[in-house]
């Protein structure tokens, strides 16, 4: 706080408070102090937000944790019996590799994953500050990124995609510095290497984030042309292309190796996705209707809408202030941030919604647009009143967001009930099928409990299904001969209608069922005329754990496998009901 003591000794003796607030810009020391205070405050709150709860209520997170547990547990038979690791088949490497390594330090993969999530949430405002500084905009605008980053996309568990966004901001900031003519040749080399490393890191975080980085890098460099000149634009494009060669090679290798363009997210055993092949687009009117909903509508009680109103109100205030800030002399700044915002908005409305089960593609770009939207504010803050007023507004809205999310995450953990207690009763290293009859929540407007059965694989080892291994996205694969029978498409969303007990009876050892509080499991869930239903091992208000009965057939059968037994049972049933009806007329005609 050196600038405060200097202010107390000198400035107050020569100028009034009014002059100090409205006639002078904040000093460099003041700016850095306020920026540091914002970053430290946001960083601590983000880390606390994810580390304090027992479980994070992010829909797909248990699936990611199950994959990380399989990677981390390759030395232990309770995991290695079922899974093998193929790093080259996936581009979800940064999150998984980071959590795998950190798990050795903290003792479990869930805590390691929480540290990863907390770190990228904490550094997102710093990445935003770096980006806006590179474009000579007020650096404190980057703190606003802390609001939309805790979004619907994050609560859906798209950890890889959301964590790629601060990486793209840093990459675009490096490229903006590279384009400036005042950069020295030595800086050019460092910035080129940095951009290449960031691009490579981005492709191994998420492919859509990498695609955005490539497009945004091109748009940004061209938009900086009037400011830096054609020569610097061509130099930047050439250096950027050279730096991107390793990441382009990695992307090409992954596309060829995984076959993602031909298969998409088509589940194993399903020839094509339910809605058909190719690109599917959403109506522009529907996208317009959901522009805030797709980022902020997390909770049923409207708390997310309150955060959205505060965020949009702050942006509108910045846009209004831009009209009152006069330009100084020959002040020149590029329109690159505004151009990137426009491109993100266009992609939100007109990009494909789905490609072969990979969805939603377009919804992701509204989050990117919200990270860039502070660029519509004043290009400079001419006095202390505006600087400190905006900084105070950012601090208040960030605090509001933290309080709301902390409270609701705590409630969601309470709603999760005694899941850990129930799973502790299951033997390690077995096979468990999750069947959430109630995936919803009274608090969050998402299927928060869709994949919670994967905590068995995380905590107890073994194999839990339904899992993302059915989609062949992760660097984890089933070992030959241990994969479960294929599932019907969208099985996890409605197991009561799609589950066939006869098909899975001889594979799974446990069935984890989630119901509404104090509701019974329907008898039709395990209905079979051939096999004995599993018996309940432990139950709580919401969770019921069933275990397979050792003698699964209702009657002794000479057939070796349930599949053969089932076919023979169908044959015997057909003979009992159909053959007598056919044979009866023939028997009557043979009587003399």
């Amino acid at each position: 706080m050196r600038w405060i003591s200097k202010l107390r000794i000198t400035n107050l003796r020569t100028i009034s408070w009014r002059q100090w607030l409205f006639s002078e810009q904040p000093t460099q020391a003041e700016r850095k102090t306020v920026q540091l205070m914002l970053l430290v405050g946001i960083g601590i709150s983000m880390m606390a937000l994810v580390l304090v709860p027992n479980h994070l209520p992010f829909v797909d997170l248990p699936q990611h944790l199950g994959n990380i547990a399989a990677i981390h547990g390759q030395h232990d038979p309770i995991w290695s019996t079922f899974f093998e690791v193929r790093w080259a088949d996936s581009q979800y490497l940064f999150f998984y590799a980071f959590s795998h390594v950190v798990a050795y330090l903290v003792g479990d993969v869930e805590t390691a994953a929480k540290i990863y999530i907390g770190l990228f949430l904490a550094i997102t405002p710093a990445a935003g500050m770096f980006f806006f500084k590179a474009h000579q905009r007020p650096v404190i605008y980057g703190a606003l990124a802390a609001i939309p980053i805790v979004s619907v996309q994050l609560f859906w568990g798209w950890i890889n995609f959301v964590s790629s966004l601060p990486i793209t901001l840093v990459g675009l900031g490096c490229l903006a510095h590279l384009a400036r003519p005042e950069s020295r040749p030595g800086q050019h080399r460092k910035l080129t290497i940095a951009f290449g490393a960031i691009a490579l890191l981005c492709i191994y975080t998420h492919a859509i984030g990498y695609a955005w980085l490539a497009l945004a890098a091109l748009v940004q460099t061209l938009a900086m042309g009037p400011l830096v000149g054609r020569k610097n634009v061509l130099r930047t494009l050439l250096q950027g292309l050279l730096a991107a060669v390793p990441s382009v090679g990695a992307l090409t290798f992954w596309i060829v190796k995984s076959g993602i363009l031909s298969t998409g997210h088509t589940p194993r055993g399903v020839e094509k996705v339910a809605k058909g092949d190719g690109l599917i687009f959403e109506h522009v009117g529907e996208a317009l209707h959901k522009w805030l909903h797709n980022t902020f509508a997390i909770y049923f009680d409207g708390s997310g809408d309150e955060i959205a109103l505060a965020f949009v109100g702050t942006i509108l205030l910045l846009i209004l202030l831009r009209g009152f800030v006069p330009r100084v002399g020959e002040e020149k700044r590029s329109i690159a941030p505004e151009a990137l915002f426009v491109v993100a908005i266009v992609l939100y409305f007109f990009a494909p919604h789905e490609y072969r089960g990979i969805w939603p593609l377009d919804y992701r770009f509204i989050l990117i647009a919200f990270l860039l939207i502070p660029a519509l504010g004043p290009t400079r803050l001419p006095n202390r009143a505006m600087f400190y007023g905006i900084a105070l507004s950012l601090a208040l809205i960030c605090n509001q967001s933290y309080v709301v999310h902390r409270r609701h995450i705590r409630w969601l953990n309470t709603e999760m009930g005694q899941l850990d207690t129930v799973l502790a009763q299951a033997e390690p290293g077995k096979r468990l099928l999750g069947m959430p009859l109630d995936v919803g929540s009274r608090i969050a407007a998402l299927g928060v409990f869709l994949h919670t059965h994967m905590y068995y694989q995380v905590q107890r080892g073994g194999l839990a299904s339904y899992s993302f291994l059915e989609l062949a996205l992760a660097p984890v694969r089933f070992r030959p001969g241990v994969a479960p029978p294929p599932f019907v498409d969208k099985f996890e969303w409605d197991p009561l209608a799609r589950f066939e007990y006869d098909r899975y009876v001889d594979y799974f050892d446990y069935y984890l069922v989630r119901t509404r509080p104090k509701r019974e499991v329907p008898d039709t869930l395990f209905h079979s005329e051939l096999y004995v239903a599993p018996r309940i091992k432990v139950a709580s208000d919401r969770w019921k754990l069933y275990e397979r009965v050792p003698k699964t057939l209702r009657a002794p059968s000479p057939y070796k496998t349930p599949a053969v037994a089932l076919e023979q049972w169908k044959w015997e049933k057909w003979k009992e009901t159909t053959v007598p009806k056919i044979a009866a007329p023939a028997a009557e005609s043979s009587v003399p």
Side-chain angles (χ1 to χ4, degrees):
M1 303 295 181
R2 187 178 303 171
W3 62 272
I4 295 180
S5 60
K6 183 178 180 181
L7 169 68
R8 185 166 52 247
I9 295 172
T10 58
N11 290 12
L12 292 182
R13 296 177 181 176
T14 58
I15 62 173
S16 66
W17 276 103
R18 185 180 181 86
Q19 290 175 312
W20 185 82
L21 278 175
F22 296 100
S23 300
E24 293 187 359
Q25 291 187 354
T27 64
Q28 189 70 10
E30 290 177 67
R31 296 176 189 273
K32 289 184 177 180
T33 301
V34 172
Q35 293 161 16
L36 180 61
M37 292 173 65
L38 285 172
L39 288 178
V40 171
I42 293 172
I44 292 174
S45 63
M46 289 296 189
M47 294 300 294
L49 187 68
V50 300
L51 289 178
V52 172
N54 186 30
H55 297 299
L56 291 175
F58 302 158
V59 178
D60 288 349
L61 179 59
Q63 293 284 355
H64 294 303
L65 294 178
N67 291 331
I68 297 168
I71 294 171
H72 190 68
Q74 283 298 297
H75 62 282
D76 194 327
I78 64 174
W79 283 286
S80 60
T81 301
F82 302 101
F83 309 107
E84 60 184 5
V85 180
R86 299 180 186 175
W87 291 105
D89 289 0
S90 174
Q91 40 90 68
Y92 285 176
L93 299 188
F94 183 41
F95 176 31
Y96 288 0
F98 179 94
S99 302
H100 168 50
V101 173
V102 174
Y104 286 110
L105 303 176
V106 298
D108 67 284
V109 296
E110 186 170 9
T111 303
K114 286 181 179 181
I115 292 174
Y116 175 88
I117 296 170
L119 285 176
F120 87 72
L121 291 178
I123 68 171
T124 298
M129 289 184 177
F130 180 77
F131 172 80
F132 286 114
K133 182 179 180 180
H135 289 283
Q136 298 178 331
R137 303 299 174 89
V139 178
I140 60 171
Y141 286 174
L144 262 177
I147 308 304
I149 199 69
V150 185
S151 59
V152 169
Q153 289 89 336
L154 179 64
F155 271 74
W156 272 113
W158 302 344
I159 308 299
N160 295 283
F161 168 71
V162 178
S163 63
S164 72
L165 299 185
I167 299 174
T168 63
L169 289 175
V170 175
L172 293 173
C174 289
L175 205 63
H177 282 296
L178 181 62
R180 296 197 172 277
E182 60 267 23
S183 300
R184 297 186 298 273
Q187 291 178 316
H188 289 171
R189 287 191 295 271
K190 293 178 181 178
L191 290 169
T192 302
I193 294 172
F195 179 74
I198 289 168
L200 188 62
L201 180 64
C202 194
I203 182 58
Y204 282 122
T205 303
H206 200 275
I208 295 179
Y210 177 80
W212 164 252
L213 176 61
L215 176 62
L218 177 62
V219 172
Q220 174 183 273
T221 305
L222 295 177
M224 293 182 71
L227 178 67
V228 302
R230 182 183 301 176
K231 180 180 178 180
N232 286 301
V233 167
L234 294 176
R235 173 183 56 80
T236 304
L237 289 175
L238 179 60
Q239 290 176 321
L241 286 173
L242 291 175
V245 168
S247 60
V248 172
L251 174 65
T252 305
F253 177 78
W254 168 67
I255 290 175
V256 173
K257 186 75 174 175
S258 65
I260 188 71
L261 294 181
S262 59
T263 62
H265 282 192
T266 305
R268 177 176 56 91
V270 178
E271 294 184 359
K272 64 178 182 178
V273 297
K275 294 184 179 180
D277 294 335
L279 298 174
I280 298 174
F281 292 85
E282 186 175 64
H283 193 274
V284 174
E286 185 72 13
L288 181 62
H289 177 69
K290 294 180 178 179
W291 73 282
L292 276 179
H293 178 277
N294 288 329
T295 300
F296 294 103
I298 302 172
Y299 309 116
F300 279 123
D301 62 3
S303 299
D305 297 334
E306 295 175 3
I307 298 174
L309 288 175
F311 178 77
V312 172
T314 303
I315 295 301
L316 291 177
L317 176 62
L318 292 177
I319 295 173
L320 182 64
L321 288 174
R322 183 166 183 163
F324 291 94
V325 177
R327 297 185 62 176
V328 178
E330 297 297 325
E331 178 186 18
K332 290 185 178 180
R333 288 182 173 85
S334 75
I335 61 169
E338 290 89 343
L340 293 178
F341 169 74
V342 171
V343 171
I345 288 294
V346 170
L347 289 173
Y348 170 67
F349 284 109
F350 300 105
H353 181 69
E354 180 180 344
Y355 175 75
R356 294 181 180 269
I358 305 174
W359 71 277
L361 302 176
D362 51 348
Y363 289 178
R364 302 170 192 257
F365 293 102
I366 192 64
L367 175 56
I368 296 173
F370 283 142
L371 295 179
L372 298 170
I373 200 172
L376 303 182
T379 56
R380 65 185 184 88
L381 303 180
N383 54 53
R384 287 188 174 93
M386 189 176 293
F387 175 78
Y388 285 112
I390 292 176
L392 180 60
S393 300
L394 296 181
L396 291 176
I397 188 176
C398 288
N399 181 70
Q400 176 202 13
S401 175
Y402 166 71
V403 170
V404 168
H405 292 306
R406 181 192 63 182
R407 180 171 65 246
H408 285 79
I409 288 176
R410 185 174 67 248
W411 291 345
L412 284 164
N413 268 265
T414 302
E415 192 179 28
M416 190 168 289
Q418 298 177 321
L419 173 64
D420 294 338
T421 304
V422 171
L423 291 179
Q425 302 301 313
E427 295 182 26
K430 300 295 184 178
R431 309 179 191 196
L432 178 143
L433 177 62
M435 293 189 289
L437 304 185
D438 179 29
V439 303
S441 164
R442 294 176 298 172
I443 298 165
L446 304 168
V448 174
F449 304 103
L450 182 65
H451 299 304
T452 44
H453 59 275
M454 292 300 297
Y455 281 111
Y456 172 77
Q457 186 170 311
V458 177
Q459 298 174 2
R460 308 292 287 168
L463 179 150
S465 285
Y466 175 85
S467 77
F468 281 174
L469 271 65
E470 301 292 330
L471 306 178
L473 289 176
V476 180
R477 296 289 186 271
F478 293 117
R479 288 197 180 275
V482 302
F487 293 90
V488 178
D489 194 21
K490 309 298 182 184
F491 165 86
E492 70 275 25
W493 285 100
D494 191 7
L496 186 60
R498 293 178 169 89
F499 176 61
E500 300 176 16
Y501 181 54
D502 291 337
R503 189 176 190 182
Y504 302 102
V505 63
D506 203 36
Y507 184 85
F508 290 104
D509 303 296
Y510 295 106
Y511 302 89
L512 181 66
V513 182
R514 186 182 189 272
T515 63
R516 294 184 179 181
K518 299 181 180 179
R519 294 287 183 90
E520 297 296 328
V521 176
D523 294 337
T524 55
L525 183 63
F526 297 108
H527 173 73
S528 173
E529 296 189 29
L530 183 62
Y531 299 105
V532 176
R535 62 190 176 199
I536 192 162
K537 183 175 179 67
V538 61
S540 65
D541 285 349
R542 294 181 172 90
W543 302 98
K544 282 81 177 175
L545 181 66
Y546 292 82
E547 65 177 349
R548 183 174 61 181
V549 177
K551 187 178 180 180
T552 57
L553 291 176
R554 288 190 179 278
S557 173
Y559 307 102
K560 295 182 180 181
T561 66
V564 174
L566 180 61
E567 293 301 321
Q568 180 62 25
W569 174 82
K570 290 179 180 179
W571 167 249
E572 297 292 344
K573 200 75 174 178
W574 183 83
K575 288 196 298 183
E576 292 175 5
T577 57
T578 307
V579 173
K581 296 179 182 179
I582 300 175
E588 292 177 0
S589 61
S590 62
V591 178

